[in-house]
Amino acid sequence: MTTTTTFDFAPLYRHAVGFDRFANMAQKIVEQQLVTQRMSVACKAKKSMVNNEKINSVKVKNAGASCRATAPVVNTQVDTNYPRYNITHVGELDYQITLALAGFSLEEIDITVTADELVITGKRQPVEVTSTWLHQGINQADFSRKFALAEHVQVLGAEMVQGLLTINLQRQVPAALQPRKVTIGA
């Protein structure tokens, strides 16, 4: 069994704003990878045992099915890069998330903020089809995009201009947590 000695934190930068919870998110990812790796090793061992013992075909099919049932299910047809987006650090405490949402109206987009997560969803209104597609290169599917928010990051507002949804965020650190000067008495 191999162990990972280096970490690629690029996925964390794609889904987090504020980066304060960096260590916690890294730990969760490492734990998920270890669980997946253990499941993969267990399935390979099971299949190896079945092949070495040359059990009849019914039992081989059952062993393969049990490994598939325990492995995480991944839908390969889902576009995880849709919609495209940018995260920018605008000022010392300001961030912007810009999503490319061509073809969506304001009524079809929903923005929800919880204590530590920003969720942007888009649900297309049903449209009567009066023509036949010869080529469809513009993705117009429903979507849900989640971003982890660091402590004290607040959503200030959002605007839609020419198919680009821009969400403005700001880190608002409470006065009690900001550094302060202490005078030395004589």
Side-chain angles (χ1 to χ4, degrees):
M1 181 158 107
T2 60
T3 57
T4 305
T5 57
T6 60
F7 298 100
D8 179 18
F9 293 115
L12 297 176
Y13 289 110
R14 286 185 223 132
H15 299 288
V17 178
F19 314 115
D20 289 329
R21 299 174 4 176
F22 194 78
N24 290 339
M25 291 169 45
Q27 183 63 35
K28 286 180 185 177
I29 287 174
V30 169
E31 289 171 359
Q32 288 173 351
Q33 287 178 346
L34 287 174
V35 167
T36 304
Q37 186 178 19
R38 287 182 189 134
M39 289 172 55
S40 175
V41 168
C43 284
K44 286 178 184 176
K46 227 182 231 187
K47 286 180 181 179
S48 176
M49 282 181 15
V50 168
N51 289 337
N52 289 340
E53 295 173 6
K54 296 182 181 179
I55 299 175
N56 63 28
S57 64
V58 173
K59 290 185 180 179
V60 171
K61 287 180 184 175
N62 289 341
S66 67
C67 281
R68 282 191 299 277
T70 58
V73 177
V74 177
N75 185 355
T76 57
Q77 296 181 359
V78 174
D79 185 3
T80 58
N81 294 324
Y82 179 74
R84 299 288 188 175
Y85 63 93
N86 295 331
I87 301 175
T88 55
H89 195 189
V90 180
E92 186 178 334
L93 300 174
D94 298 319
Y95 302 92
Q96 273 188 347
I97 299 174
T98 305
L99 288 94
L101 300 178
F104 280 87
S105 67
L106 294 176
E107 295 79 27
E108 296 172 327
I109 301 169
D110 183 49
I111 301 172
T112 306
V113 180
T114 61
D116 62 348
E117 188 173 60
L118 169 67
V119 180
I120 302 127
T121 55
K123 294 195 180 201
R124 302 286 298 178
Q125 299 294 330
V127 177
E128 184 179 327
V129 178
T130 58
S131 59
T132 304
W133 289 101
L134 298 178
H135 171 74
Q136 185 178 8
I138 300 172
N139 194 347
Q140 297 180 344
D142 294 350
F143 69 90
S144 179
R145 175 67 71 186
K146 296 180 181 183
F147 298 94
L149 298 177
E151 288 185 275
H152 311 299
V153 173
Q154 302 295 319
V155 176
L156 300 178
E159 62 181 353
M160 181 89 144
V161 177
Q162 296 182 352
L164 295 175
L165 175 66
T166 302
I167 301 168
N168 296 307
L169 303 105
Q170 184 178 55
R171 180 186 304 274
Q172 298 175 346
V173 180
L177 297 178
Q178 293 180 354
R180 60 186 174 93
K181 293 280 185 182
V182 176
T183 57
I184 301 171

